[in-house]
Amino acid sequence: DAGITQSPRYKITETGRQVTLMCHQTWSHSYMFWYRQDLGHGLRLIYYSAAADITDKGEVPDGYVVSRSKTENFPLTLESATRSQTSVYFCASSAGQGVGEQYFGPGTRLTVT
Amino acid sequence: GDSVTQMEGPVTLSEEAFLTINCTYTATGYPSLFWYVQYPGEGLQLLLKATKADDKGSNKGFEATYRKETTSFHLEKGSVQVSDSAVYFCALRPLGNTDKLIFGTGTRLQVFP
């Protein structure tokens, strides 16, 4: 399917477990982003990537790891999940070159028990 | 640093009422400005954008004008529908060579028949 997809859509995990959220886009966009959305905080940027093998921290990177070996994929890993990481996670992509518009995936709702 | 401030919600309106959601920003120079909409259970979708002062973005009956003198980008619609019920996010793309966006905290709109 064309566009940007995330998997899984829903995930329940236990404190201390490692969890990986997947993001895949079919537009060959250079930029990809991970956000978390929490009540009262809006959207907060976790990590972003300008191209394959280039990643950088956003506003709230602690406890998260990213990689980008291929342009189309940008997985987000919680190495040891904590309850404070319970949130809705959104992946987004943009074409770069100063265009600015980001296109969002449908989100992953993660619950850490 | 750059920031976006939106009015607190929820905004509650009857169908066919006039809508204004206020957005002001703090930024260096002339950032690009965006409005995104998030329907329940979905990711964010780009609603409209403006890239320079006095530009008017419009889509689906919504409009917003880039006002440099008041650093504002208020969202308006002349006659809202129940289907417009959603969360609306104002965002800016700072000057520079990345596609990072800075989002406001979002304003929930509830439209009743």
Side-chain angles (χ1 to χ4, degrees), chain B residues 67-84:
Chain B
R67 303 280 189 204
K68 179 63 178 175
E69 62 277 9
T70 54
T71 62
S72 65
F73 193 54
H74 304 322
L75 183 68
E76 296 182 335
K77 187 176 185 183
S79 176
V80 294
Q81 305 300 311
V82 172
S83 58
D84 294 326

Side-chain angles (χ1 to χ4, degrees), chain A residues 3-18:
Chain A
I4 184 165
T5 57
Q6 293 183 236
S7 62
R9 292 294 314 278
Y10 303 91
K11 177 74 176 178
I12 300 174
T13 192
E14 296 177 342
T15 299
R17 290 195 179 266
Q18 183 178 76

Side-chain angles (χ1 to χ4, degrees), chain A residues 10 20 25 27 31 38-40 43 46-47 57 59 67 69-70 72 74 78 83 90-91 104 107-108 111:
Chain A
Y10 303 91
T20 296
Q25 53 104 356
W27 295 305
Y31 277 88
D38 305 287
L39 276 176
L43 283 166
I46 304 171
Y47 270 96
K57 296 177 180 179
E59 182 185 353
S67 62
S69 57
K70 293 183 178 181
E72 61 267 29
F74 191 38
L78 289 66
R83 289 202 180 97
F90 288 99
C91 179
F104 282 76
T108 294
T111 302

Side-chain angles (χ1 to χ4, degrees), chain B residues 7 13 17-23 35 47-48 56-65 67 72-80 84 88 109:
Chain B
M7 61 189 291
L13 295 173
F18 185 86
L19 168 70
T20 300
I21 299 178
N22 291 335
C23 171
W35 276 101
L47 182 60
L48 53 83
K56 178 184 282 188
S58 61
N59 186 25
K60 298 181 181 179
F62 291 90
E63 293 183 339
T65 301
R67 303 280 189 204
S72 65
F73 193 54
H74 304 322
L75 183 68
E76 296 182 335
K77 187 176 185 183
S79 176
V80 294
D84 294 326
Y88 293 81
L109 170 65

Side-chain angles (χ1 to χ4, degrees), chain B residues 1-3 26-27 102:
Chain B
D2 296 352
S3 65
T26 301
I102 295 172

